[in-house]
Amino acid sequence: MVSTIRTPHPREKRIIFKNIDRPGWTNDIGCYLHDGGYEELKKAFTMKPGQIVNEVKLSGLRGRGGAGFPCGVKWGFIRPGGTKPVYLICNADESEPGTFKDRYIIHQDPHQLIEGMIISCYAVNAQLAYIYIRGEFPEGAKILERALAEAKEHGFLGKNILGSGFDLEIYVFRGAGAYICGEETGLIESMEGKRPYPRIKPPYFPAALGLYLCPTIVNNVETLCNVKHIVRIGGAEYAKMGKPNNTGTRLLCVSGDVQKPGYYEFEVGAITIGELINDICGGMKPGRTLKAVIPGGSSAKVMSAKDRYKLKTKQPDGTMAETEMGLEDIPIDFDSLAAAGSMAGSGGVIVMDDSRDMVWALNNINEFYAHESCGQCTPCREGSLWMKKITGRMLHGGGVEQDTDTLKSVADNIAGRTICAFGEACAWPTQSFVAKFRDEFMGTAHKKGNGNGSTNS
Amino acid sequence: MSAPTELLNVQIDGVWYQFKKGTRVIEACAQAGKFIPHYCYHPKLSSPGNCRMCLIEMGMPKTGPDRKPELGADGKPVISWIPRPQISCAQDITEGMGVRTDSSLVRECRHGVMEFLLINHPLDCPICDQAGECHLQEYSVEYGTAGSRFLEEKVKKPKRVELGPRVTLDDERCILCSRCIRFMKEIAHDDVLGFASRGSHTYLTAHPGKRLDSNYSLNTVDICPVGALTSTDFRFKMRVWFLKETKSICTSCATGCNTIVGSRENVIYRQTPRENDAVNSAWMCDYGRLNIHYVNSPDRLKFPQVREAQGLANVSWKTALAKAGEELKQFQRNSVAVVASAKMTNEELWLTKKLIDSLGTVYHDVVPRAGQADQLLMSADRNPNTLGAQLFGITSEYPGSKLREMTEKIASGEIRAVVALGEDLTQIGLAESDLKKLTALIVVGILPNETTRNASVLLPACAFSEKRGTMINIKGRLQRLNHATLAPGEARDDWEIIRDLLQQLTGSNGIYLIDDVFKEIAETIPEMTGLSFGRIGDHGVQLVEESEDAQPVAMTV
Ligand SMILES: Cc1cc2nc3c(=O)[nH]c(=O)nc-3n(C[C@H](O)[C@H](O)[C@H](O)COP(=O)(O)O)c2cc1C
Ligand code: SF4
Ligand code: SF4
Ligand code: SF4
């Protein structure tokens, strides 16, 4: 993999990405051990599993895979002393458009992930764990295989790890190239050798009825890496990073129309959208102005630079008050982005400048979702392709007056009515693009292009 | 002793009801008279929740700070409603649950799902076999809209796919509910169907190298809510709304699956399973289902005949019966044998026993038909009423055990007359030359064979769909056949023929209706005391305690 090696920006706080692009750093276990690797595992074994779960609860760590669910709470769903085996699965399917953080951990620092996983498995008493890696990452899978073999040679995996009495095996499971395999229950079905049809919840919450209907924890790569650092500094100390309910650091993947796209790590909420674009990413391309930002991967609702956002912020006197602000002033953290009507999602920040045609942009997203819908449930299966066909037609000069409203209502008929959150993932872009850039969509009805108005496929 | 079932309080559309613990929300609503439309849900299969047609609003009792349910002014729990609609097919009711089946959100959801299901649907109802019994059509009327907002081209998919020898698939009509897949996996235990591709391009197919050739394949056609799966046998033969539906039972094995016979103007077009949890759940096998076409055969025996110098000649019933009576009177006691059938009804067998008794012969039995039992429905005993034949003394514990002696005595000339009821004697080891040796061969049957061709008197009778009557299945369940079609030509109901033969020997016996026969049986047979055709009902009556080891009776030919 070719990557332009760049030194971290001074405003970054690199914990998870400490070793990414680090001069002289290699991804083998020797280098990792030399740098103090697997010390946190040794420390973890001096603690009781329940203590680790408590530290993770205390840390306030929220899932980095997209939904932002508190990790410690999720772990707490596993009842100690159950009769069924517990599984832990690391979700390395990283398929959300605009997201490219987990792959760097896997490629450059696989032992950080493995150490985080061993500690997590010990905490929830999982003796079998898997890394589910997307099919398009063959190199990553090889690196992980090698790293796991190294860890095993060094006694960090296998029976009676470091004399703790704890046994664990970790295996790499390769996906076959489907976005829906990132959805945790689709992922589990896929591991069971079936089509990755997400399961209905209730009853199939993974923590109760997961892999082979046994209690299962599914966590994102970045989430599991954080566990190692929570053990290192303690949950309370970890919680001091970021802000309340938005603790720790966050990996951000910036793509689109900025001068310096790339990956960065900040304390959660430490920078605003404007600071990220202008100070960190070198600003917009010459002569261009900011039009819109999708802040958390392609599923997140688009935010327009023209809009004003009302957010509750902490006043100098310590009280909370509603403040109106522009897009660039919104801090990048879970709660602020949610309050502004979008989400922090997977950390994929997609920046669009004034040259972007929003119908084109939405059609691009719609093509992705129409292709990736698993097809199991009616609204998403039929709606995702319908939306794509409409935006495709609008784009090629076949737009009609009612398209904009039809688009919105199709999306409304998907969101909240499907088996899995893919329904929202595919509806939110349409809902938000149409709401925020209505004139551009309405304009296509009068724009004549080269299309004949119909879309095939 | 089972503990009394716990009852739970559930509010449906503002009214509180009580249901048994363990009731599905969708079933509770149905019990309260609130039908919830659905496609993928089937009570006999797992619930994938994929069609999203059964979305409802659901709520749970609100709990106060003391963790106890908050009570409203009416003393009932206050419900806190879940903001997202929920499927009603996969969850059981819980105490204090609230359900709204007809709110504007629920109506909007159904509306949306209907629209989604139709945008890529070919809408070829005029040429679709399912038309008239299609849930897509039905729900369109109730929950859909007249117009379409869909301006795009529809998705193209495979058509006229031969999934197996008996099932044809139109993938464009498939709404991907997965009922057929689940049936094959969960009930037929032959996991051959699955979906391929993804998104809106998903289509149903058999797994590579597999065919839908299970003996239960046609059940998938029954449960397919649309016209995607059609019976290769039935498709394009008849519009379903023209079919007269008659409740009946399958007579192709001792299981006696409950069925509906679909006929029009005396022609049977199809036979489909009818739900009866004591017998066949909601299923039947393809073998039994399709074993109906002989009823419509052009070769059916239509006229009574007697042997004359040139061969068999059509005569009146009166003449034929008189001739039969005359012949039988010559050969009484053990020079005459009665070969009956375990395919006959109880009423026919009852009268047959009387005939046997008045002839005074010890030579009587039925012809066993043995096959392989399949662990699902099909019984090794391919006769539908062996238990009846045993109960009325036509045969013994070992059906067919007397046949050898009988055939030997026919071949040796010791037995000179045979009454053959619905059976072909060449199937029990007799040669045509043996039949020619008989002085009298009185045959009751429906289709020509070696035996009918050698009859001295041939009496045409009714097929299973042309008569009423009862049979006892392998598990001791008494079930009814009903009249669906008329017999061809002058063919008559078997029980009447046997009664008339009996009258030739014994004079008038006061039996005018089949109900009279059943009444006599009910008065004589202790297991049937108090029963009547009406009391048997559509689902039958268990005569003997059902035993787990109810094995097909031993076959000895
Ligand atoms: C359509 C869809 C795709 C998803 N893809 C991913 C993914 O690629 N990686 C990931 O970590 N989580 C993904 N998720 C989220 C997972 O379902 C799950 O919430 C997550 O792995 C939990 O880990 P966390 O709590 O550590 O975030 C996806 C969810 C949906 C609905
Ligand atoms: S919402 Fe979409 S991706 Fe999720 S189960 Fe339904 S069809 Fe599949
Ligand atoms: S063929 Fe029929 S039963 Fe099978 S998935 Fe399609 S619609 Fe459902
Ligand atoms: S199992 Fe027996 S009774 Fe049932 S349909 Fe098949 S042949 Fe008929």
Side-chain angles (χ1 to χ4, degrees):
Chain A
M1 189 180 52
V2 189
S3 67
T4 349
I5 298 201
R6 277 198 312 231
T7 43
H9 190 278
R11 287 193 63 181
E12 283 190 62
K13 176 154 188 149
R14 289 213 172 185
I15 293 173
I16 307 298
F17 264 10
K18 186 183 111 192
N19 301 324
I20 308 302
D21 300 338
R22 188 172 153 188
W25 181 262
T26 52
N27 64 13
D28 57 279
I29 199 165
C31 183
Y32 189 71
L33 288 170
H34 190 255
D35 196 50
Y38 289 104
E39 285 306 315
E40 278 75 43
L41 177 61
K42 288 173 197 157
K43 181 174 176 191
F45 282 140
T46 67
M47 301 163 73
K48 290 216 166 64
Q51 264 178 294
I52 301 176
V53 175
N54 275 339
E55 290 301 318
V56 172
K57 279 186 185 161
L58 213 58
S59 76
L61 173 66
R62 292 173 65 172
R64 304 300 198 236
F69 192 81
C71 183
V73 175
K74 186 189 284 192
W75 289 10
F77 293 145
I78 304 282
R79 299 250 159 278
T83 51
K84 287 179 173 179
V86 177
Y87 297 108
L88 183 137
I89 302 169
C90 167
N91 190 342
D93 196 57
E94 190 163 66
S95 318
E96 176 82 5
T99 316
F100 43 88
K101 57 187 182 69
D102 298 341
R103 73 166 83 179
Y104 288 99
I105 298 170
I106 292 164
H107 278 255
Q108 298 190 31
D109 203 1
H111 285 287
Q112 180 187 200
L113 171 62
I114 293 167
E115 187 175 6
M117 281 183 75
I118 304 171
I119 297 170
S120 304
C121 287
Y122 174 68
V124 299
N125 193 26
Q127 290 169 28
L128 200 49
Y130 298 89
I131 304 172
Y132 189 104
I133 185 166
R134 65 180 297 190
E136 295 87 339
F137 287 174
E139 191 61 28
K142 262 188 228 155
I143 293 166
L144 285 171
E145 298 271 14
R146 201 198 62 206
L148 287 170
E150 288 173 338
K152 192 154 183 175
E153 276 163 29
H154 283 78
F156 300 129
L157 287 171
K159 296 255 174 245
N160 191 16
I161 298 167
L162 304 177
S164 64
F166 178 67
D167 307 336
L168 173 68
E169 294 293 347
I170 301 180
Y171 297 101
V172 174
F173 190 102
R174 288 189 60 196
Y179 170 66
I180 198 57
C181 289
E183 196 283 337
E184 55 189 7
T185 59
L187 182 154
I188 287 170
E189 284 283 298
S190 147
M191 286 189 62
E192 290 182 5
K194 296 178 259 177
R195 285 171 70 81
Y197 276 173
R199 296 173 174 176
I200 49 175
K201 303 175 184 175
Y204 298 105
F205 293 105
L209 296 169
L211 185 61
Y212 308 117
L213 300 186
C214 295
T216 302
I217 291 294
V218 183
N219 274 131
N220 172 258
V221 172
E222 183 186 344
T223 313
L224 291 168
C225 288
N226 269 290
V227 172
K228 165 187 157 104
H229 303 285
I230 292 167
V231 166
R232 178 167 54 88
I233 60 177
E237 196 59 30
Y238 181 97
K240 288 184 188 155
M241 288 191 288
K243 13 190 220 186
N245 203 35
N246 297 265
T247 58
T249 64
R250 192 83 220 247
L251 301 175
L252 296 181
C253 320
V254 187
S255 62
D257 304 324
V258 291
Q259 302 262 15
K260 285 196 284 176
Y263 42 81
Y264 303 93
E265 183 175 3
F266 302 98
E267 274 191 57
V268 183
I271 55 160
T272 62
I273 290 178
E275 287 167 343
L276 178 69
I277 295 172
N278 299 314
D279 305 349
I280 316 288
C281 297
M284 305 300 290
K285 301 239 176 86
R288 291 289 165 202
T289 55
L290 179 65
K291 183 170 185 178
V293 172
I294 301 173
S298 61
S299 319
K301 289 190 174 176
V302 68
M303 303 169 85
S304 167
K306 281 207 191 115
D307 283 350
R308 303 290 294 168
Y309 298 84
K310 284 196 184 114
L311 261 66
K312 281 211 167 68
T313 53
K314 205 175 197 168
Q315 301 301 299
D317 64 358
T319 58
M320 298 297 281
E322 201 172 77
T323 332
E324 207 187 89
M325 59 179 77
L327 173 61
E328 298 197 22
D329 298 328
I330 300 173
I332 302 177
D333 62 68
F334 293 99
D335 293 345
S336 301
L337 289 170
S342 187
M343 64 169 181
S346 63
V349 182
I350 303 167
V351 182
M352 289 179 272
D353 70 22
D354 56 343
S355 70
R356 293 289 165 189
D357 173 349
M358 286 303 168
V359 181
W360 178 90
L362 179 61
N363 184 56
N364 181 295
I365 294 175
N366 284 351
E367 280 180 356
F368 174 78
Y369 288 107
H371 183 63
E372 296 296 342
S373 163
C374 83
Q376 185 184 199
C377 66
T378 311
C380 163
R381 175 182 71 234
E382 302 301 337
S384 59
L385 183 62
W386 190 3
M387 293 190 299
K388 176 210 132 170
K389 285 181 174 176
I390 296 175
T391 50
R393 183 165 46 72
M394 290 169 112
L395 196 61
H396 294 104
V400 293
E401 199 77 33
Q402 65 268 35
D403 283 340
T404 309
D405 291 333
T406 307
L407 265 180
K408 179 188 182 302
S409 111
V410 171
D412 291 350
N413 281 340
I414 303 171
R417 301 176 188 183
T418 55
I419 291 180
C420 83
F422 185 110
E424 283 75 40
C426 76
W428 284 343
T430 291
Q431 286 176 330
S432 57
F433 271 79
V434 168
K436 303 274 164 87
F437 303 97
R438 191 176 168 86
D439 292 348
E440 276 185 55
F441 284 84
M442 290 303 290
T444 61
H446 311 291
K447 196 173 80 187
K448 285 286 159 255
N450 52 9
N452 61 5
S454 69
T455 47
N456 298 313
S457 82
Chain B
M1 286 288 286
S2 57
T5 2
E6 199 185 323
L7 292 177
L8 300 179
N9 297 291
V10 176
Q11 190 205 64
I12 300 177
D13 295 334
V15 181
W16 286 92
Y17 301 85
Q18 287 196 322
F19 303 101
K20 280 191 197 137
K21 193 178 174 181
T23 308
R24 279 288 153 93
V25 174
I26 195 170
E27 299 292 354
C29 291
Q31 285 171 28
K34 305 281 185 172
F35 175 76
I36 299 184
H38 55 273
Y39 292 105
C40 68
Y41 171 72
H42 189 289
K44 306 282 184 201
L45 303 172
S46 63
S47 296
N50 64 34
C51 75
R52 315 309 282 177
M53 192 65 193
C54 74
L55 287 170
I56 43 112
E57 279 189 78
M58 192 184 281
M60 297 300 165
K62 200 176 198 167
T63 46
D66 56 354
R67 294 183 159 265
K68 287 203 185 110
E70 253 178 55
L71 298 184
D74 58 354
K76 303 277 191 188
V78 177
I79 290 167
S80 115
W81 296 91
I82 305 171
R84 290 165 61 111
Q86 304 290 310
I87 49 173
S88 53
C89 64
Q91 267 192 77
D92 288 351
I93 51 160
T94 54
E95 177 59 31
M97 179 187 271
V99 178
R100 290 178 183 147
T101 72
D102 200 26
S103 64
S104 61
L105 174 63
V106 171
R107 283 197 297 267
E108 240 174 68
C109 289
R110 291 175 183 166
H111 208 279
V113 170
M114 280 311 302
E115 181 178 41
F116 284 134
L117 285 175
L118 289 173
I119 56 173
N120 283 303
H121 194 83
L123 295 174
D124 54 353
C125 310
I127 54 148
C128 177
D129 269 306
Q130 192 82 359
E133 54 183 9
C134 173
H135 289 294
L136 210 49
Q137 282 187 330
E138 277 168 35
Y139 298 165
S140 286
V141 176
E142 288 194 56
Y143 314 105
T145 37
S148 167
R149 307 188 283 171
F150 189 70
L151 304 176
E152 329 303 324
E153 261 182 42
K154 290 179 189 262
V155 174
K156 304 266 186 303
K157 291 187 191 177
K159 298 189 82 85
R160 287 177 294 279
V161 181
E162 276 180 40
L163 273 184
R166 294 174 292 280
V167 179
T168 307
L169 163 69
D170 182 328
D171 265 312
E172 287 183 351
R173 291 182 188 153
C174 171
I175 59 164
L176 305 166
C177 73
S178 79
R179 276 183 172 193
C180 55
I181 298 174
R182 284 175 281 138
F183 171 83
M184 288 310 296
K185 186 174 174 165
E186 296 164 14
I187 308 289
H189 305 300
D190 187 13
D191 192 5
V192 293
L193 296 179
F195 291 134
S197 195
R198 58 193 190 189
S200 188
H201 301 279
T202 305
Y203 63 97
L204 177 74
T205 181
H207 294 312
K210 298 275 165 113
R211 263 163 70 81
L212 179 63
D213 54 8
S214 151
N215 188 30
Y216 291 83
S217 70
L218 284 166
N219 293 289
T220 62
V221 174
D222 300 330
I223 57 175
C224 178
V226 294
L229 296 177
T230 49
S231 158
T232 310
D233 177 67
F234 175 69
R235 64 196 242 117
F236 306 138
K237 298 273 165 48
M238 184 51 63
R239 307 276 25 183
V240 296
W241 53 84
F242 288 132
L243 292 178
K244 179 178 82 172
E245 300 203 320
T246 308
K247 291 175 181 137
S248 189
I249 52 172
C250 173
T251 56
S252 294
C253 90
T255 302
C257 293
N258 289 209
T259 64
I260 289 173
V261 171
S263 63
R264 186 186 182 195
E265 290 175 1
N266 270 336
V267 177
I268 304 187
Y269 287 92
R270 69 174 183 186
Q271 181 172 231
T272 47
R274 180 164 58 87
E275 191 169 330
N276 185 346
D277 285 343
V279 181
N280 54 311
S281 186
W283 325 115
M284 75 186 295
C285 80
D286 293 2
Y287 164 78
R289 179 194 301 253
L290 295 179
N291 194 15
I292 48 171
H293 296 307
Y294 70 91
V295 175
N296 303 332
S297 165
D299 299 335
R300 281 287 298 274
L301 301 174
K302 300 190 183 74
F303 303 101
Q305 294 182 317
V306 296
R307 182 157 302 282
E308 289 175 357
Q310 300 82 358
L312 285 168
N314 290 359
V315 293
S316 70
W317 272 101
K318 202 173 163 199
T319 312
L321 287 164
K323 171 100 186 300
E326 224 170 80
E327 289 184 346
L328 286 179
K329 278 181 204 149
Q330 290 173 46
F331 305 100
Q332 299 241 328
R333 301 209 71 85
N334 293 338
S335 59
V336 57
V338 176
V339 178
S341 175
K343 294 188 292 183
M344 292 163 73
T345 65
N346 291 326
E347 295 69 27
E348 293 157 17
L349 291 162
W350 174 259
L351 294 168
T352 300
K353 183 61 172 46
K354 290 190 167 193
L355 183 69
I356 290 166
D357 289 348
S358 81
L359 289 168
T361 177
V362 297
Y363 297 119
H364 53 86
D365 206 340
V366 297
V367 180
R369 280 184 180 72
Q372 284 276 314
D374 68 1
Q375 312 297 318
L376 289 167
L377 288 173
M378 244 195 155
S379 158
D381 182 359
R382 298 290 155 81
N383 275 316
N385 197 20
T386 303
L387 260 63
Q390 290 170 323
L391 185 62
F392 301 120
I394 311 294
T395 186
S396 60
E397 198 186 333
Y398 304 103
S401 56
K402 252 204 187 146
L403 289 175
R404 175 167 305 194
E405 192 187 349
M406 285 160 66
T407 53
E408 279 167 9
K409 292 214 149 79
I410 292 169
S412 71
E414 223 173 298
I415 292 177
R416 288 156 58 211
V418 175
V419 180
L421 301 172
E423 295 288 1
D424 178 5
L425 302 182
T426 61
Q427 299 299 305
I428 59 168
L430 287 167
E432 207 187 338
S433 55
D434 297 323
L435 302 184
K436 290 201 191 305
K437 271 188 256 169
L438 290 168
T439 322
L441 176 54
I442 293 156
V443 181
V444 176
I446 64 169
L447 282 167
N449 54 40
E450 288 309 309
T451 305
T452 64
R453 278 190 277 279
N454 287 287
S456 56
V457 179
L458 178 58
L459 305 170
C462 283
F464 81 99
S465 60
E466 295 158 356
K467 58 192 180 187
R468 291 170 74 206
T470 62
M471 296 190 172
I472 306 170
N473 83 349
I474 187 101
K475 289 186 172 167
R477 197 172 189 82
L478 181 69
Q479 309 197 98
R480 279 193 325 205
L481 279 177
N482 288 311
H483 205 137
T485 51
L486 291 174
E490 291 179 15
R492 287 176 70 194
D493 208 332
D494 307 49
W495 79 268
E496 285 180 331
I497 301 174
I498 303 165
R499 175 202 58 189
D500 290 352
L501 283 176
L502 189 59
Q503 284 185 358
Q504 293 293 329
L505 300 181
T506 62
S508 176
N509 54 13
I511 296 178
Y512 301 104
L513 295 170
I514 192 165
D515 305 78
D516 297 333
V517 186
F518 192 83
K519 193 159 164 251
E520 253 185 43
I521 299 174
E523 282 166 3
T524 321
I525 303 287
E527 287 89 341
M528 299 204 195
T529 308
L531 288 176
S532 65
F533 270 51
R535 289 241 172 99
I536 295 170
D538 291 336
H539 288 107
V541 170
Q542 198 64 37
L543 293 184
V544 287
E545 192 86 359
E546 207 180 295
S547 70
E548 268 311 304
D549 55 327
Q551 287 299 319
V553 268
M555 302 289 163
T556 52
V557 154

